[in-house]
């Protein structure tokens, strides 16, 4: 088996927030569905690794954007199993309603979760100039490295 990546955005308790548009919530799943995914991985005996630890016969779990449920709900479920995941953070979403705050990112990093760059503003990079792409990555990277004290 090759390495597999499972990408999530948010994990919600019962139903997605009605104020979030369907274009976003279509990538959100319930806590129960996420628990089922984790149980399947666990029963299969497959190792769970971060993107940076990728190896054959493993599953990598990632979360995009920095949604709060990925921290409040998913992180404890992963930590309970001793598993790590990669959290790709969009800098300008931090502290917004429904998203993580700086303390959540720092705590996830302290718990061994890998923190990665998902851009500064969440722009579509194929529509950006070279300079805009460099800004999207570097400003977010600087922010996250200052926050976590680790290289991202």
């Amino acid at each position: 088996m090759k390495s597999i990546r499972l990408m999530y955005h948010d994990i919600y308790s019962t139903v997605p927030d009605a104020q979030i548009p369907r274009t976003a919530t279509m990538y959100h799943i319930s806590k129960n569905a996420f628990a089922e995914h984790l149980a399947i991985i666990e029963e299969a005996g497959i190792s769970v690794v971060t993107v940076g630890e990728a190896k054959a016969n493993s599953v990598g779990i990632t979360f995009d954007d920095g949604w709060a449920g990925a921290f409040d709900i998913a992180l404890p479920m992963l930590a309970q199993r001793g598993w790590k995941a990669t959290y790709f953070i969009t800098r300008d979403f931090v502290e917004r309603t429904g998203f993580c705050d700086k303390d959540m990112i720092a705590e996830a990093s302290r718990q061994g979760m890998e923190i990665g760059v998902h851009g500064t503003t969440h722009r579509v990079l194929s529509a950006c100039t070279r300079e805009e792409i460099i800004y999207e990555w570097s400003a977010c990277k600087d922010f996250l490295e200052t926050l976590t004290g680790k290289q991202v």
Side-chain angles (χ1 to χ4, degrees):
M1 178 178 93
K2 296 185 180 193
S3 180
I4 296 171
R5 296 288 166 263
L6 301 176
M7 185 272 298
Y8 301 92
H9 279 119
D10 199 17
I11 311 299
Y12 56 84
S13 291
T14 53
V15 295
D17 185 332
Q19 296 180 336
I20 300 171
R22 173 75 180 124
T23 55
T25 61
M26 63 191 276
Y27 299 107
H28 299 192
I29 67 167
S30 71
K31 177 181 180 179
N32 290 340
F34 187 63
E36 287 180 37
H37 294 187
L38 299 182
I40 291 167
I41 296 166
E42 193 168 39
E43 288 168 16
I46 301 168
S47 64
V48 176
V49 298
T50 65
V51 169
E53 300 169 330
K55 61 183 182 179
N57 301 318
S58 68
V59 171
I61 297 174
T62 70
F63 298 95
D64 280 358
D65 302 330
W67 290 92
F71 292 85
D72 289 337
I73 297 171
L75 193 147
M77 295 170 74
L78 293 164
Q80 177 183 16
R81 291 170 168 83
W83 293 352
K84 306 294 185 230
T86 303
Y87 287 74
F88 291 109
I89 309 297
T90 301
R91 186 198 73 181
D92 287 0
F93 291 178
V94 175
E95 308 286 345
R96 284 189 187 177
T97 301
F99 289 91
C100 65
D101 60 33
K102 293 175 185 176
D103 290 338
M104 295 163 106
I105 298 168
E107 180 58 27
S109 178
R110 278 192 292 278
Q111 289 192 38
M113 301 298 161
E114 182 177 51
I115 306 299
V117 172
H118 196 58
T120 299
T121 65
H122 204 263
R123 292 180 63 189
V124 176
L125 297 180
S126 61
C128 293
T129 65
R130 183 182 193 312
E131 292 76 23
E132 290 168 330
I133 292 170
I134 291 169
Y135 170 76
E136 281 294 318
W137 291 103
S138 63
C140 184
K141 183 178 189 303
D142 292 346
F143 168 77
L144 293 171
E145 289 180 346
T146 297
L147 186 60
T148 65
K150 297 178 183 175
Q151 187 173 358
V152 299

